[in-house]
Amino acid sequence: VNAVELIERKRDGGRLAPGEVAWLIDAYSTGTVPDYQMAAMAMAVFLRGLDHEELAAWTVAMLESGDVLDLSDLPGVKVDKHSTGGVGDKASIPLAPMVASTGVVVPMISGRGLGHTGGTLDKLEAIPGFSTSLDPDRFRRILETCGMVMAGQSETLVPADRKLYALRDATGTVPSIPLIASSIMSKKLAEDLDALVLDVKVGRGAFMQDLNDGRRLADTIIDIGRARGVTVTALLTQMDQPLGREVGNASEIAESLAVLRGEGPADLTELVMALGVEMLQMAAIEEPRSRLERAVASGEALERLTEVIAAQGGDPRVVENPSLLPSARHEMEIPAPVSGVVTGCDARNIGLGAMRLGAGRERKEDSIDPAVGVTVHAKVGDRVDSGQPLCVVHYNEPGRLDEARPWLEAAWVIGEGAEPSPLVLERR
Amino acid sequence: VNAVELIERKRDGGRLAPGEVAWLIDAYSTGTVPDYQMAAMAMAVFLRGLDHEELAAWTVAMLESGDVLDLSDLPGVKVDKHSTGGVGDKASIPLAPMVASTGVVVPMISGRGLGHTGGTLDKLEAIPGFSTSLDPDRFRRILETCGMVMAGQSETLVPADRKLYALRDATGTVPSIPLIASSIMSKKLAEDLDALVLDVKVGRGAFMQDLNDGRRLADTIIDIGRARGVTVTALLTQMDQPLGREVGNASEIAESLAVLRGEGPADLTELVMALGVEMLQMAAIEEPRSRLERAVASGEALERLTEVIAAQGGDPRVVENPSLLPSARHEMEIPAPVSGVVTGCDARNIGLGAMRLGAGRERKEDSIDPAVGVTVHAKVGDRVDSGQPLCVVHYNEPGRLDEARPWLEAAWVIGEGAEPSPLVLERR
């Protein structure tokens, strides 16, 4: 096989045989195929696509570039959840302990925030001492003991994806449905899952603006799962405005704890329930919604999270006392300029504002300030009076507030009545 | 400006501003934009194209990456010829002295063979002592004295093209019309020409198989020329079978000398005349065909070539005595397997066969054996009897003959009558 031949074939809209895909990904992982050839291939794939068979081979080749967990000796059905990324999306944090409380095993491997979106790992690390970097032995021990674990991808898991993702980021080839799907699924398959629920975010604050693109991504991932014996269901959910009221890191942990106490905001609680019901159904647990409600009402889910925090080195006292989480030195309100009804609350603008405060990263090497963020007071459909706060900005550095403020001020549209669109748009 | 933004825009079918193109090519030449970003851009350009304005900016940016000759103080109209590459295409070698004999100045910068095609520089270097690597001073001195010069591109001329060509070769982005056009024209514009005749080869032995692609390339190059005040005319010529009878290096010099003695094969002589007429017309010389015929009949053109060979360090005695050119130790006939009329004589197969004998390069770093080659005895329309030679193979190494033979044997199709297609297909 010869890399140029494969690039030319894909460039011209042809297809690659499974063995050719396997060779390519292996040769790229090991450095035989250089970055510039893979960059040309990624652009050809971006513009020409991959068919079902190519995509299955691509995903498996990525998976096989590194270690694969073997959880087959752990009893229980192993189910994970993956979100394509949004603003204020802390759903994983209350979801995992709620689901784990019902006996489903949740080996959750999460990611970091990028651009205007937040990441579960960054949020968890706002808990003093909490470690998301676990070696495979510790990962498995915590999973056995607690029925759940929340960690980052280890160095040896799907190294081809790490390398290819960095290249795509530098070559304008990130938003390709087959490349996104294979990136997600190679990592999820490496967790040795039985089932996966996928939360495909669609809207202003998501990477995908278009519902049809979201459907195609969902169906592509469902197909890859089917080919490997992993059941995948997908919810397409709205990401025009932030989820919940908190956008930040420590503040999103506090809001997650509120959900587990039954005091969370309605949209976030609804999403967590909807995702949890899917996960329990895939594990054949009956009356899933009432099981999840019971896990919250009984305090079991909160207790489960407390155990996991302790097992992963975090300070479990934050659960009872969220004021132990880092908090910002200053706060400032952004007032409504006129009276009316909020018709737009742009998640992307708020995410970019929070990023500029230090809650997210502009470049991968940037560090996160866990204390800063935005508390959203007015969401779509809310009536506001002129001068009332649209949000409260929690900040540490005045210079960063200055950078964030124009993004935040431009986020709200106040008009004359609006219905918030439904949260769950579609199930696939 | 940011490389990823430009790649994304071109990927999505958008256009780049002239200043953005200039930045990109400069940043790539100087190493600020790495190979992998340029590879993704080249693939995006391959699949999305460049419009007139983008292409003009791309070509000028390449041109400006290095030195540009200034021949404005040399009297006379400066005209060059460029061929897109074929098999047995030695037209430049008799053409340049014929045209120079009429007073047109011919500053010819040629290339090397690649793949199944031959290159003028490789052929010239079959003349003992002949140097194609001239510094700018010597290039200009020979041009002043002889009215012509035949050399390779110096290191400082269009370095961006050299770098980008190597990248395209490794990333499946060679056969892109805008990239080919800008590569050709950046080099030609660096010669400070007044006019250019372009020989676009179309057919089995060319890089372009399709007449419409040839037209698009010709029109694209004509447009770039127009934008820079260089008149370009193009002939689209047939390259299904080799041009002339000789495919090799020394043997093509001998055949070129035969053209200058008025004894060349009909097709080659016809092509040289057609190209020469275009060049003379662009220099406003009247009765161009008879001027060229006179240059041959009088011996002036042959004498001009003799002077140039001497000026470039070659042994001028080869002109009178071609047996001083290198010759191969062995020869072997390939006989016609049946009687009939030649209906196919595949230039690509013959080119690949000659390459395997050592007349061409499989990889850029391969060296050339000037003595080996193929003498074609049966061309399309010729009647052959079973056992009569289709060609004679001139070889030095029996192992290489074994590699070449299957390509050569498969080159001929013998049937029941065929008309060779016209040599000049179209003028643009």
Side-chain angles (χ1 to χ4, degrees):
Chain A
V1 207
N2 167 304
V4 177
E5 269 177 49
L6 301 186
I7 296 168
E8 289 173 345
R9 197 172 335 132
K10 182 47 68 188
R11 174 195 82 193
D12 296 339
R15 50 187 308 287
L16 310 180
E20 291 172 333
V21 171
W23 175 84
L24 177 74
I25 300 290
D26 181 62
Y28 178 58
S29 306
T30 57
T32 311
V33 163
D35 276 341
Y36 56 84
Q37 289 187 322
M38 199 62 181
M41 178 61 96
M43 184 58 78
V45 167
F46 188 102
L47 290 167
R48 296 297 199 172
L50 293 176
D51 73 12
H52 291 292
E53 204 186 1
E54 288 175 309
L55 185 56
W58 190 288
T59 308
V60 171
M62 300 254 284
L63 171 68
E64 289 176 350
S65 72
D67 295 342
V68 177
L69 296 177
D70 179 1
L71 304 177
S72 55
D73 57 327
L74 281 192
V77 182
K78 286 160 284 285
V79 185
D80 192 7
K81 168 254 177 184
H82 179 84
S83 159
T84 59
V87 177
D89 181 9
K90 68 285 287 172
S92 288
I93 300 164
L95 177 64
M98 282 165 64
V99 171
S101 301
T102 70
V104 176
V105 179
V106 186
M108 191 173 268
I109 295 189
S110 303
R112 301 205 173 268
L114 188 64
H116 67 281
T117 67
T120 299
L121 298 183
D122 296 326
K123 294 168 195 176
L124 289 169
E125 289 174 359
I127 300 169
F130 195 97
S131 168
T132 60
S133 168
L134 306 179
D135 64 46
D137 280 352
R138 193 165 167 213
F139 183 93
R140 158 187 282 274
R141 218 161 46 239
I142 296 170
L143 185 60
E144 260 177 298
T145 318
C146 304
M148 66 168 282
V149 60
M150 292 186 292
Q153 192 186 341
S154 81
E155 284 293 313
T156 58
L157 216 68
V158 203
D161 176 66
R162 198 175 297 108
K163 191 171 174 184
L164 182 57
Y165 192 87
L167 182 70
R168 285 167 56 207
D169 197 40
T171 57
T173 51
V174 169
S176 153
I177 286 176
L179 294 178
I180 295 171
S182 58
S183 172
I184 292 174
M185 280 305 276
S186 61
K187 286 176 283 191
K188 292 297 158 187
L189 293 173
E191 290 174 27
D192 196 17
L193 294 179
D194 297 307
L196 174 70
V197 60
L198 187 67
D199 183 6
V200 179
K201 298 290 186 199
V202 178
R204 286 285 302 155
F207 289 109
M208 249 162 226
Q209 313 290 310
D210 181 68
L211 186 59
N212 277 322
D213 286 344
R215 287 185 180 124
R216 279 175 53 221
L217 178 63
D219 294 349
T220 303
I221 290 180
I222 289 167
D223 267 359
I224 300 175
R226 187 175 296 136
R228 296 287 294 187
V230 175
T231 312
V232 181
T233 59
L235 299 183
L236 281 79
T237 68
Q238 187 260 110
M239 186 27 77
D240 285 325
Q241 59 177 347
L243 192 63
R245 301 207 166 266
E246 299 293 348
V247 178
N249 291 283
S251 64
E252 293 201 36
I253 294 292
E255 196 172 37
S256 299
L257 294 168
V259 173
L260 291 174
R261 281 193 298 269
E263 297 160 2
D267 61 345
L268 175 60
T269 304
E270 181 192 336
L271 180 69
V272 170
M273 275 293 173
L275 294 167
V277 165
E278 295 296 336
M279 292 172 79
L280 266 58
Q281 278 173 341
M282 288 192 288
I285 292 180
E286 285 176 15
E287 297 182 1
R289 176 168 284 267
S290 50
R291 284 296 298 274
L292 292 168
E293 285 166 350
R294 217 155 60 223
V296 172
S298 66
E300 263 182 291
L302 203 60
E303 195 176 325
R304 185 67 60 119
L305 182 61
T306 312
E307 287 165 22
V308 169
I309 292 173
Q312 296 195 217
D315 182 348
R317 295 173 305 161
V318 299
V319 173
E320 289 303 309
N321 189 1
S323 68
L324 293 171
L325 291 165
S327 62
R329 286 191 293 278
H330 312 290
E331 61 181 50
M332 193 209 61
E333 289 183 0
I334 291 186
V338 292
S339 299
V341 174
V342 175
T343 58
C345 172
D346 188 314
R348 186 160 189 275
N349 265 45
I350 295 172
L352 287 169
M355 180 184 83
R356 280 169 172 78
L357 292 174
R361 293 177 184 82
E362 266 183 276
R363 284 167 301 270
K364 279 192 189 122
E365 58 278 15
D366 291 348
S367 68
I368 294 268
D369 179 347
V372 300
V374 178
T375 304
V376 175
H377 283 267
K379 294 186 69 170
V380 173
D382 289 351
R383 170 158 291 283
V384 290
D385 290 327
S386 171
Q388 240 190 291
L390 298 170
C391 69
V392 175
V393 187
H394 307 273
Y395 67 100
N396 277 325
E397 296 171 38
R400 300 198 108 183
L401 174 66
D402 293 343
E403 280 184 62
R405 196 168 172 165
W407 293 98
L408 296 172
E409 287 178 337
W412 277 266
V413 183
I414 298 172
E416 306 216 331
E419 281 296 301
S421 50
L423 186 65
V424 177
L425 303 170
E426 206 170 297
R427 177 182 184 281
R428 292 184 91 87
Chain B
V1 208
N2 166 304
V4 176
E5 267 176 50
L6 300 186
I7 296 168
E8 288 172 346
R9 191 161 353 122
K10 182 47 66 187
R11 174 196 80 192
D12 295 340
R15 51 187 307 286
L16 311 181
E20 291 172 333
V21 171
W23 175 85
L24 177 74
I25 300 291
D26 181 60
Y28 178 59
S29 305
T30 56
T32 311
V33 164
D35 276 341
Y36 55 83
Q37 289 186 323
M38 199 61 182
M41 177 61 94
M43 184 58 79
V45 167
F46 189 103
L47 291 167
R48 296 296 199 173
L50 293 177
D51 73 12
H52 292 292
E53 204 186 2
E54 289 175 308
L55 185 56
W58 190 288
T59 308
V60 171
M62 300 254 285
L63 171 66
E64 290 176 350
S65 71
D67 295 341
V68 176
L69 295 178
D70 179 0
L71 304 177
S72 54
D73 57 327
L74 282 191
V77 182
K78 287 161 281 287
V79 186
D80 192 7
K81 167 253 178 184
H82 180 85
S83 159
T84 60
V87 177
D89 181 8
K90 69 283 289 174
S92 288
I93 300 163
L95 176 64
M98 282 164 65
V99 171
S101 301
T102 71
V104 176
V105 179
V106 186
M108 191 174 267
I109 295 189
S110 303
R112 301 204 172 269
L114 188 64
H116 67 281
T117 67
T120 298
L121 297 183
D122 297 326
K123 293 168 195 176
L124 289 169
E125 288 174 358
I127 300 169
F130 195 97
S131 167
T132 60
S133 168
L134 306 179
D135 63 47
D137 279 352
R138 194 168 168 210
F139 183 93
R140 159 189 282 273
R141 218 161 46 239
I142 296 170
L143 185 60
E144 260 176 296
T145 318
C146 303
M148 66 168 282
V149 61
M150 294 187 290
Q153 192 185 343
S154 81
E155 284 293 314
T156 58
L157 216 68
V158 203
D161 176 67
R162 197 175 297 107
K163 191 170 174 185
L164 182 57
Y165 192 88
L167 183 70
R168 286 167 55 206
D169 197 42
T171 56
T173 50
V174 169
S176 153
I177 286 176
L179 294 179
I180 294 171
S182 58
S183 172
I184 292 174
M185 281 305 277
S186 61
K187 286 176 284 190
K188 292 297 159 186
L189 293 173
E191 291 174 27
D192 196 17
L193 293 178
D194 298 306
L196 174 70
V197 61
L198 188 66
D199 182 6
V200 178
K201 298 290 187 197
V202 177
R204 287 283 303 152
F207 288 109
M208 248 161 227
Q209 313 289 309
D210 181 67
L211 186 58
N212 277 322
D213 287 345
R215 286 184 181 124
R216 280 176 50 223
L217 178 62
D219 292 350
T220 304
I221 290 180
I222 289 167
D223 268 358
I224 300 175
R226 188 174 297 138
R228 296 287 292 187
V230 174
T231 313
V232 182
T233 60
L235 299 183
L236 280 79
T237 69
Q238 185 261 110
M239 185 29 77
D240 286 325
Q241 59 177 346
L243 191 64
R245 300 206 166 268
E246 299 294 348
V247 178
N249 291 284
S251 64
E252 293 200 36
I253 294 292
E255 197 172 37
S256 299
L257 294 169
V259 172
L260 291 174
R261 281 191 299 268
E263 298 160 1
D267 60 347
L268 175 60
T269 304
E270 182 191 337
L271 180 70
V272 171
M273 276 293 172
L275 295 166
V277 164
E278 296 296 336
M279 292 171 80
L280 266 57
Q281 278 173 342
M282 289 192 288
I285 291 181
E286 285 177 14
E287 295 183 1
R289 176 169 284 267
S290 49
R291 286 296 300 272
L292 293 168
E293 284 166 351
R294 218 155 60 223
V296 172
S298 65
E300 264 182 291
L302 201 62
E303 196 178 323
R304 186 68 59 119
L305 182 61
T306 312
E307 287 165 24
V308 170
I309 291 173
Q312 295 195 220
D315 183 347
R317 296 172 305 160
V318 299
V319 173
E320 290 303 308
N321 187 3
S323 68
L324 293 171
L325 292 165
S327 63
R329 287 191 292 279
H330 313 289
E331 59 179 54
M332 193 208 63
E333 289 183 359
I334 293 186
V338 292
S339 299
V341 173
V342 174
T343 58
C345 171
D346 188 315
R348 186 161 188 277
N349 264 46
I350 295 172
L352 288 168
M355 179 185 84
R356 280 171 172 78
L357 292 174
R361 296 177 181 79
E362 266 183 276
R363 284 168 302 270
K364 282 197 188 117
E365 59 278 16
D366 291 349
S367 65
I368 295 267
D369 180 346
V372 300
V374 178
T375 304
V376 175
H377 283 268
K379 293 186 70 171
V380 173
D382 290 349
R383 171 158 290 283
V384 291
D385 290 327
S386 169
Q388 239 188 289
L390 297 171
C391 70
V392 175
V393 187
H394 307 273
Y395 67 100
N396 277 325
E397 295 172 38
R400 301 197 108 183
L401 174 66
D402 293 343
E403 278 184 64
R405 196 169 172 162
W407 292 98
L408 296 173
E409 285 177 339
W412 278 266
V413 183
I414 297 172
E416 305 216 333
E419 282 295 301
S421 49
L423 185 65
V424 177
L425 303 169
E426 207 169 295
R427 177 182 184 281
R428 292 183 92 83

